[in-house]
Amino acid sequence: MSKVTVVGAGNVGATCANVLAFNEVADEVVMLDVKEGVSEGKAMDMMQTAQLLGFDTTLVGCTNDYAQTADSDVVVITSGIPRKPGMTREELIGVNAGIVKSVAENILKYSPNAILVVVSNPMDTMTYLSLKSLGLPKNRIIGMGGALDSSRFKYFLSQALGCNANEVEGFVIGGHGDTTMIPMTRFATYKGMPVANFLSEEKLKEVAAATMVGGATLTKLLGTSAWYAPGAAGAFVVESIIHNQKKMIPCSVFLEGEYGESDICIGVPVILGKNGIEEIVKLELNEEEKAAFAASAKAVHATNAALKEVGAL
Ligand SMILES: NC(=O)c1ccc[n+]([C@@H]2O[C@H](COP(=O)([O-])OP(=O)(O)OC[C@H]3O[C@@H](n4cnc5c(N)ncnc54)[C@H](O)[C@@H]3O)[C@@H](O)[C@H]2O)c1
């Protein structure tokens, strides 16, 4: 019997729960929100698609009732405010730090062995806050950002190549911010061959730039931050853990010397399985990539420093 809780039944959380149920990733999916009745309503609505879509997962909604989340294997934290057009993810820190910390503490009272997947922004900093304040082993705290950014990277590559995104491989490392993420163009492939065989250097730079502002572009169009791909990316991460798939997915994880960084949660490729982070994959970065990663880490460290200013750490 596998159980996943999604905290925050807003755009991203509800989409994540929906994908988890549709793909039957877990036997039970619980949604919890502070807004009275919203989780219950969304769970009932989704349950009424079970027969239409043919899934057997049970969805449960609750308003702030952590007892219902008891014994969850994985908990996805999406609670918090999203950004509005023109805002950076980093500007959300003051409000979201308090929410993420209190939610994680409540979750662990009922699911002391759960693996936490942090989605709320600024995600690298919220992951770091969880790691520092909860005292859990580092394999059980995973920030979701790279799965989404990589999916966006593959989308923009596929658009440039004129192919289906499933024919493209690629990933993004570094911080989950408009200026901190690093699309790893050198490692990206189309039909198993380097994308540089098919696209000019200029085109590849355009693809990388579009990826980096991919979230901001959607925020401008939608008036709030996107949810279909973020929700699906959260479910993708959960699935690799619950089904012990051992997929390599870039996630924000605590580094202790890997990639030349310490005391930081930042995106690097990891193997995700039943223990959460099973392994941090060490890529051979070239000098340019190393410099980009160091600059990204510097920016994430600077955002983390704000946790002290808002009294969260
Ligand atoms: N990491 C990523 O890749 C990524 C991608 C997209 C969005 N996000 C972030 O995810 C978060 C959620 O985005 P959204 O678009 O779903 O926002 P949303 O406003 O639609 O949903 C957030 C939900 O959290 C709930 N909430 C607030 N405080 C809570 C608490 N203490 N306990 C339980 N629930 C609480 C709200 O009631 C709301 O329903 C934002 O911080 C956003 O920036 C991250």
Side-chain angles (χ1 to χ4, degrees):
M1 167 79 188
S2 53
K3 179 169 173 177
V4 177
T5 288
V6 182
V7 182
N11 286 338
V12 176
T15 306
C16 180
N18 201 25
V19 174
L20 287 170
F22 180 63
N23 289 338
E24 297 184 323
V25 171
D27 298 304
E28 185 179 352
V29 176
V30 177
M31 279 185 282
L32 180 148
D33 203 289
V34 281
K35 281 190 203 142
E36 191 76 37
V38 168
S39 293
E40 289 86 338
K42 289 193 179 182
M44 194 188 289
D45 192 12
M46 285 179 207
M47 281 301 279
Q48 291 168 4
T49 70
Q51 179 272 322
L52 297 166
L53 301 174
F55 65 78
D56 289 326
T57 297
T58 302
L59 285 141
V60 176
C62 62
T63 305
N64 241 358
D65 180 6
Y66 281 88
Q68 302 240 26
T69 69
D71 300 323
S72 293
D73 300 294
V74 181
V75 176
V76 185
I77 302 179
T78 75
S79 45
I81 53 165
R83 58 182 172 157
K84 297 286 170 215
M87 278 175 96
T88 65
R89 295 174 177 93
E90 289 70 22
E91 287 174 76
L92 307 172
I93 194 168
V95 178
N96 286 354
I99 294 176
V100 169
K101 202 172 165 187
S102 71
V103 161
E105 283 166 2
N106 282 326
I107 280 293
L108 289 175
K109 282 182 203 153
Y110 291 91
S111 301
N113 300 317
I115 292 169
L116 304 186
V117 177
V118 180
V119 177
S120 310
N121 275 319
M123 181 279 295
D124 298 295
T125 297
M126 293 301 114
T127 308
Y128 179 79
L129 170 67
S130 306
L131 192 120
K132 286 283 165 182
S133 57
L134 300 173
L136 295 183
K138 61 178 184 168
N139 60 303
R140 285 175 48 200
I141 300 198
I142 300 160
M144 193 295 289
L148 170 65
D149 300 331
S150 301
S151 186
R152 287 180 173 151
F153 183 38
K154 286 181 256 190
Y155 163 77
F156 286 114
L157 279 171
S158 71
Q159 292 286 300
L161 289 158
C163 70
N164 190 296
N166 290 316
E167 291 180 274
V168 177
E169 281 299 332
F171 56 88
V172 174
I173 64 170
H176 175 61
D178 296 352
T179 55
T180 57
M181 70 180 77
I182 310 164
M184 297 298 283
T185 305
R186 190 167 65 90
F187 291 81
T189 59
Y190 170 50
K191 294 189 188 294
M193 288 172 274
V195 288
N197 291 9
F198 306 94
L199 297 172
S200 66
E201 204 181 321
E202 193 191 349
K203 193 74 200 165
L204 287 169
K205 281 196 173 132
E206 277 173 35
V207 165
T211 304
M212 293 173 79
V213 295
T217 302
L218 286 166
T219 303
K220 207 167 152 196
L221 288 169
L222 298 166
T224 184
S225 114
W227 57 89
Y228 291 111
F236 186 71
V237 163
V238 173
E239 186 172 21
S240 191
I241 300 167
I242 292 273
H243 291 171
N244 198 22
Q245 289 173 326
K246 309 268 171 78
K247 279 191 177 146
M248 185 179 94
I249 304 176
C251 293
S252 186
V253 301
F254 191 64
L255 298 186
E256 291 172 297
E258 300 91 344
Y259 291 87
E261 296 297 333
S262 293
D263 197 34
I264 190 170
C265 291
I266 190 168
V268 292
V270 298
I271 303 297
L272 286 185
K274 64 179 184 333
N275 299 310
I277 301 156
E278 306 267 346
E279 181 192 334
I280 294 176
V281 178
K282 292 179 194 81
L283 297 173
E284 280 300 321
L285 301 184
N286 64 26
E287 290 310 312
E288 195 184 333
E289 291 156 353
K290 273 184 198 159
F293 193 82
S296 181
K298 196 174 168 198
V300 173
H301 275 300
T303 310
N304 290 349
L307 288 171
K308 288 209 172 82
E309 287 159 31
V310 298
L313 264 188

mmCIF file of all heavy atoms in Angstrom, residues 71-104:
data_model
loop_
_atom_site.group_PDB
_atom_site.id
_atom_site.type_symbol
_atom_site.label_atom_id
_atom_site.label_comp_id
_atom_site.label_asym_id
_atom_site.label_seq_id
_atom_site.Cartn_x
_atom_site.Cartn_y
_atom_site.Cartn_z
ATOM 1 N N ASP A 71 1.480 8.260 7.711
ATOM 2 C CA ASP A 71 2.182 7.155 7.048
ATOM 3 C C ASP A 71 2.329 7.336 5.536
ATOM 4 O O ASP A 71 2.288 6.359 4.782
ATOM 5 C CB ASP A 71 1.500 5.808 7.359
ATOM 6 C CG ASP A 71 1.486 5.535 8.854
ATOM 7 O OD1 ASP A 71 2.497 5.890 9.518
ATOM 8 O OD2 ASP A 71 0.477 5.011 9.353
ATOM 9 N N SER A 72 2.483 8.563 5.118
ATOM 10 C CA SER A 72 2.770 8.798 3.696
ATOM 11 C C SER A 72 4.200 8.371 3.391
ATOM 12 O O SER A 72 5.109 8.573 4.205
ATOM 13 C CB SER A 72 2.621 10.284 3.352
ATOM 14 O OG SER A 72 1.289 10.687 3.473
ATOM 15 N N ASP A 73 4.396 7.798 2.216
ATOM 16 C CA ASP A 73 5.753 7.421 1.789
ATOM 17 C C ASP A 73 6.490 8.643 1.241
ATOM 18 O O ASP A 73 7.688 8.813 1.470
ATOM 19 C CB ASP A 73 5.674 6.344 0.693
ATOM 20 C CG ASP A 73 4.973 5.099 1.184
ATOM 21 O OD1 ASP A 73 5.530 4.447 2.081
ATOM 22 O OD2 ASP A 73 3.849 4.814 0.719
ATOM 23 N N VAL A 74 5.761 9.446 0.491
ATOM 24 C CA VAL A 74 6.352 10.655 -0.099
ATOM 25 C C VAL A 74 5.387 11.811 0.113
ATOM 26 O O VAL A 74 4.166 11.626 0.008
ATOM 27 C CB VAL A 74 6.616 10.480 -1.619
ATOM 28 C CG1 VAL A 74 7.254 11.727 -2.215
ATOM 29 C CG2 VAL A 74 7.486 9.259 -1.890
ATOM 30 N N VAL A 75 5.920 12.981 0.419
ATOM 31 C CA VAL A 75 5.076 14.174 0.589
ATOM 32 C C VAL A 75 5.618 15.283 -0.313
ATOM 33 O O VAL A 75 6.809 15.609 -0.274
ATOM 34 C CB VAL A 75 5.058 14.646 2.060
ATOM 35 C CG1 VAL A 75 4.251 15.931 2.201
ATOM 36 C CG2 VAL A 75 4.499 13.551 2.953
ATOM 37 N N VAL A 76 4.744 15.817 -1.128
ATOM 38 C CA VAL A 76 5.118 16.892 -2.050
ATOM 39 C C VAL A 76 4.624 18.204 -1.447
ATOM 40 O O VAL A 76 3.437 18.342 -1.145
ATOM 41 C CB VAL A 76 4.461 16.687 -3.437
ATOM 42 C CG1 VAL A 76 4.957 17.745 -4.428
ATOM 43 C CG2 VAL A 76 4.731 15.285 -3.968
ATOM 44 N N ILE A 77 5.515 19.159 -1.255
ATOM 45 C CA ILE A 77 5.128 20.435 -0.634
ATOM 46 C C ILE A 77 5.023 21.521 -1.708
ATOM 47 O O ILE A 77 6.036 21.961 -2.264
ATOM 48 C CB ILE A 77 6.127 20.836 0.465
ATOM 49 C CG1 ILE A 77 6.186 19.727 1.527
ATOM 50 C CG2 ILE A 77 5.736 22.179 1.091
ATOM 51 C CD1 ILE A 77 7.153 19.992 2.656
ATOM 52 N N THR A 78 3.800 21.907 -1.994
ATOM 53 C CA THR A 78 3.573 22.972 -2.995
ATOM 54 C C THR A 78 2.897 24.180 -2.346
ATOM 55 O O THR A 78 2.517 25.120 -3.042
ATOM 56 C CB THR A 78 2.667 22.496 -4.161
ATOM 57 O OG1 THR A 78 1.305 22.437 -3.697
ATOM 58 C CG2 THR A 78 3.067 21.137 -4.690
ATOM 59 N N SER A 79 2.718 24.127 -1.036
ATOM 60 C CA SER A 79 1.997 25.220 -0.366
ATOM 61 C C SER A 79 2.826 26.501 -0.393
ATOM 62 O O SER A 79 4.050 26.460 -0.238
ATOM 63 C CB SER A 79 1.699 24.816 1.079
ATOM 64 O OG SER A 79 2.843 24.232 1.657
ATOM 65 N N GLY A 80 2.146 27.596 -0.578
ATOM 66 C CA GLY A 80 2.843 28.881 -0.615
ATOM 67 C C GLY A 80 2.264 29.737 -1.703
ATOM 68 O O GLY A 80 1.332 29.329 -2.397
ATOM 69 N N ILE A 81 2.819 30.940 -1.828
ATOM 70 C CA ILE A 81 2.295 31.810 -2.886
ATOM 71 C C ILE A 81 3.139 31.635 -4.152
ATOM 72 O O ILE A 81 4.342 31.416 -4.075
ATOM 73 C CB ILE A 81 2.251 33.294 -2.451
ATOM 74 C CG1 ILE A 81 3.615 33.763 -1.920
ATOM 75 C CG2 ILE A 81 1.160 33.531 -1.408
ATOM 76 C CD1 ILE A 81 3.736 35.266 -1.813
ATOM 77 N N PRO A 82 2.488 31.718 -5.311
ATOM 78 C CA PRO A 82 3.240 31.688 -6.573
ATOM 79 C C PRO A 82 3.613 33.112 -6.993
ATOM 80 O O PRO A 82 3.088 34.071 -6.436
ATOM 81 C CB PRO A 82 2.213 31.093 -7.549
ATOM 82 C CG PRO A 82 0.889 31.533 -7.029
ATOM 83 C CD PRO A 82 1.024 31.740 -5.530
ATOM 84 N N ARG A 83 4.491 33.237 -7.974
ATOM 85 C CA ARG A 83 4.848 34.590 -8.407
ATOM 86 C C ARG A 83 3.824 35.138 -9.395
ATOM 87 O O ARG A 83 3.144 34.391 -10.091
ATOM 88 C CB ARG A 83 6.257 34.635 -8.983
ATOM 89 C CG ARG A 83 6.524 33.743 -10.153
ATOM 90 C CD ARG A 83 7.974 33.887 -10.557
ATOM 91 N NE ARG A 83 8.347 32.914 -11.569
ATOM 92 C CZ ARG A 83 9.355 33.069 -12.387
ATOM 93 N NH1 ARG A 83 10.112 34.143 -12.320
ATOM 94 N NH2 ARG A 83 9.640 32.141 -13.282
ATOM 95 N N LYS A 84 3.765 36.441 -9.424
ATOM 96 C CA LYS A 84 2.917 37.167 -10.381
ATOM 97 C C LYS A 84 3.844 37.726 -11.465
ATOM 98 O O LYS A 84 5.064 37.777 -11.270
ATOM 99 C CB LYS A 84 2.190 38.321 -9.664
ATOM 100 C CG LYS A 84 1.232 37.850 -8.572
ATOM 101 C CD LYS A 84 -0.030 37.242 -9.182
ATOM 102 C CE LYS A 84 -0.888 36.537 -8.136
ATOM 103 N NZ LYS A 84 -1.564 35.341 -8.656
ATOM 104 N N PRO A 85 3.273 38.163 -12.598
ATOM 105 C CA PRO A 85 4.133 38.699 -13.662
ATOM 106 C C PRO A 85 5.098 39.767 -13.135
ATOM 107 O O PRO A 85 4.696 40.633 -12.352
ATOM 108 C CB PRO A 85 3.123 39.288 -14.658
ATOM 109 C CG PRO A 85 1.884 38.485 -14.456
ATOM 110 C CD PRO A 85 1.843 38.170 -12.985
ATOM 111 N N GLY A 86 6.356 39.676 -13.560
ATOM 112 C CA GLY A 86 7.358 40.661 -13.153
ATOM 113 C C GLY A 86 8.086 40.305 -11.867
ATOM 114 O O GLY A 86 9.104 40.903 -11.545
ATOM 115 N N MET A 87 7.584 39.309 -11.134
ATOM 116 C CA MET A 87 8.247 38.917 -9.876
ATOM 117 C C MET A 87 9.298 37.841 -10.143
ATOM 118 O O MET A 87 9.134 37.039 -11.052
ATOM 119 C CB MET A 87 7.232 38.286 -8.904
ATOM 120 C CG MET A 87 6.404 39.236 -8.104
ATOM 121 S SD MET A 87 5.195 38.275 -7.148
ATOM 122 C CE MET A 87 6.041 38.135 -5.588
ATOM 123 N N THR A 88 10.319 37.810 -9.298
ATOM 124 C CA THR A 88 11.251 36.684 -9.359
ATOM 125 C C THR A 88 10.809 35.660 -8.316
ATOM 126 O O THR A 88 10.062 35.990 -7.390
ATOM 127 C CB THR A 88 12.699 37.111 -9.028
ATOM 128 O OG1 THR A 88 12.728 37.534 -7.653
ATOM 129 C CG2 THR A 88 13.181 38.230 -9.926
ATOM 130 N N ARG A 89 11.300 34.432 -8.471
ATOM 131 C CA ARG A 89 10.974 33.388 -7.493
ATOM 132 C C ARG A 89 11.522 33.775 -6.115
ATOM 133 O O ARG A 89 10.938 33.463 -5.094
ATOM 134 C CB ARG A 89 11.577 32.053 -7.941
ATOM 135 C CG ARG A 89 10.981 31.504 -9.236
ATOM 136 C CD ARG A 89 11.723 30.257 -9.689
ATOM 137 N NE ARG A 89 11.157 29.640 -10.877
ATOM 138 C CZ ARG A 89 11.547 29.885 -12.123
ATOM 139 N NH1 ARG A 89 12.501 30.773 -12.352
ATOM 140 N NH2 ARG A 89 11.004 29.260 -13.152
ATOM 141 N N GLU A 90 12.662 34.499 -6.136
ATOM 142 C CA GLU A 90 13.337 34.840 -4.888
ATOM 143 C C GLU A 90 12.505 35.791 -4.015
ATOM 144 O O GLU A 90 12.631 35.807 -2.803
ATOM 145 C CB GLU A 90 14.713 35.459 -5.186
ATOM 146 C CG GLU A 90 15.753 34.463 -5.709
ATOM 147 C CD GLU A 90 15.479 33.966 -7.129
ATOM 148 O OE1 GLU A 90 14.761 34.649 -7.884
ATOM 149 O OE2 GLU A 90 15.964 32.871 -7.466
ATOM 150 N N GLU A 91 11.632 36.566 -4.664
ATOM 151 C CA GLU A 91 10.824 37.529 -3.908
ATOM 152 C C GLU A 91 9.768 36.868 -3.020
ATOM 153 O O GLU A 91 9.119 37.529 -2.218
ATOM 154 C CB GLU A 91 10.143 38.516 -4.878
ATOM 155 C CG GLU A 91 11.121 39.519 -5.484
ATOM 156 C CD GLU A 91 10.443 40.388 -6.542
ATOM 157 O OE1 GLU A 91 9.701 41.295 -6.187
ATOM 158 O OE2 GLU A 91 10.673 40.138 -7.738
ATOM 159 N N LEU A 92 9.581 35.566 -3.181
ATOM 160 C CA LEU A 92 8.539 34.867 -2.417
ATOM 161 C C LEU A 92 9.040 34.392 -1.055
ATOM 162 O O LEU A 92 8.272 33.847 -0.254
ATOM 163 C CB LEU A 92 8.050 33.641 -3.209
ATOM 164 C CG LEU A 92 7.590 33.894 -4.644
ATOM 165 C CD1 LEU A 92 7.330 32.564 -5.355
ATOM 166 C CD2 LEU A 92 6.318 34.734 -4.656
ATOM 167 N N ILE A 93 10.309 34.618 -0.798
ATOM 168 C CA ILE A 93 10.954 33.951 0.340
ATOM 169 C C ILE A 93 10.296 34.223 1.693
ATOM 170 O O ILE A 93 10.090 33.307 2.487
ATOM 171 C CB ILE A 93 12.470 34.285 0.369
ATOM 172 C CG1 ILE A 93 13.197 33.351 1.318
ATOM 173 C CG2 ILE A 93 12.750 35.708 0.721
ATOM 174 C CD1 ILE A 93 14.696 33.437 1.164
ATOM 175 N N GLY A 94 9.957 35.482 1.957
ATOM 176 C CA GLY A 94 9.438 35.837 3.282
ATOM 177 C C GLY A 94 8.196 35.049 3.647
ATOM 178 O O GLY A 94 8.113 34.454 4.729
ATOM 179 N N VAL A 95 7.236 35.001 2.752
ATOM 180 C CA VAL A 95 5.983 34.309 3.026
ATOM 181 C C VAL A 95 6.181 32.792 3.005
ATOM 182 O O VAL A 95 5.755 32.064 3.915
ATOM 183 C CB VAL A 95 4.909 34.698 1.972
ATOM 184 C CG1 VAL A 95 3.614 33.948 2.211
ATOM 185 C CG2 VAL A 95 4.654 36.188 1.999
ATOM 186 N N ASN A 96 6.846 32.318 1.961
ATOM 187 C CA ASN A 96 6.910 30.867 1.770
ATOM 188 C C ASN A 96 7.786 30.149 2.782
ATOM 189 O O ASN A 96 7.538 28.976 3.110
ATOM 190 C CB ASN A 96 7.336 30.550 0.336
ATOM 191 C CG ASN A 96 6.205 30.816 -0.651
ATOM 192 O OD1 ASN A 96 5.084 31.129 -0.233
ATOM 193 N ND2 ASN A 96 6.472 30.693 -1.935
ATOM 194 N N ALA A 97 8.793 30.829 3.313
ATOM 195 C CA ALA A 97 9.661 30.167 4.309
ATOM 196 C C ALA A 97 8.837 29.721 5.514
ATOM 197 O O ALA A 97 8.968 28.588 5.984
ATOM 198 C CB ALA A 97 10.784 31.104 4.733
ATOM 199 N N GLY A 98 7.985 30.614 6.009
ATOM 200 C CA GLY A 98 7.156 30.273 7.178
ATOM 201 C C GLY A 98 6.207 29.119 6.873
ATOM 202 O O GLY A 98 6.033 28.210 7.683
ATOM 203 N N ILE A 99 5.604 29.179 5.689
ATOM 204 C CA ILE A 99 4.633 28.140 5.311
ATOM 205 C C ILE A 99 5.326 26.777 5.169
ATOM 206 O O ILE A 99 4.887 25.772 5.741
ATOM 207 C CB ILE A 99 3.918 28.523 3.979
ATOM 208 C CG1 ILE A 99 3.050 29.765 4.182
ATOM 209 C CG2 ILE A 99 3.087 27.361 3.453
ATOM 210 C CD1 ILE A 99 2.379 30.296 2.919
ATOM 211 N N VAL A 100 6.426 26.754 4.430
ATOM 212 C CA VAL A 100 7.104 25.471 4.158
ATOM 213 C C VAL A 100 7.603 24.835 5.455
ATOM 214 O O VAL A 100 7.440 23.635 5.686
ATOM 215 C CB VAL A 100 8.272 25.683 3.160
ATOM 216 C CG1 VAL A 100 9.161 24.453 3.066
ATOM 217 C CG2 VAL A 100 7.715 26.050 1.786
ATOM 218 N N LYS A 101 8.161 25.663 6.325
ATOM 219 C CA LYS A 101 8.707 25.137 7.579
ATOM 220 C C LYS A 101 7.597 24.526 8.436
ATOM 221 O O LYS A 101 7.730 23.399 8.937
ATOM 222 C CB LYS A 101 9.401 26.275 8.330
ATOM 223 C CG LYS A 101 10.426 25.806 9.327
ATOM 224 C CD LYS A 101 11.187 27.006 9.851
ATOM 225 C CE LYS A 101 11.954 26.634 11.086
ATOM 226 N NZ LYS A 101 12.569 27.785 11.718
ATOM 227 N N SER A 102 6.503 25.244 8.617
ATOM 228 C CA SER A 102 5.442 24.724 9.494
ATOM 229 C C SER A 102 4.767 23.508 8.874
ATOM 230 O O SER A 102 4.448 22.533 9.567
ATOM 231 C CB SER A 102 4.422 25.808 9.833
ATOM 232 O OG SER A 102 3.652 26.115 8.705
ATOM 233 N N VAL A 103 4.593 23.515 7.564
ATOM 234 C CA VAL A 103 3.988 22.355 6.890
ATOM 235 C C VAL A 103 4.882 21.119 7.084
ATOM 236 O O VAL A 103 4.403 20.043 7.453
ATOM 237 C CB VAL A 103 3.785 22.658 5.373
ATOM 238 C CG1 VAL A 103 3.609 21.380 4.579
ATOM 239 C CG2 VAL A 103 2.600 23.587 5.178
ATOM 240 N N ALA A 104 6.169 21.277 6.835
ATOM 241 C CA ALA A 104 7.086 20.125 6.937
ATOM 242 C C ALA A 104 7.108 19.565 8.359
ATOM 243 O O ALA A 104 7.110 18.345 8.554
ATOM 244 C CB ALA A 104 8.483 20.554 6.495
#
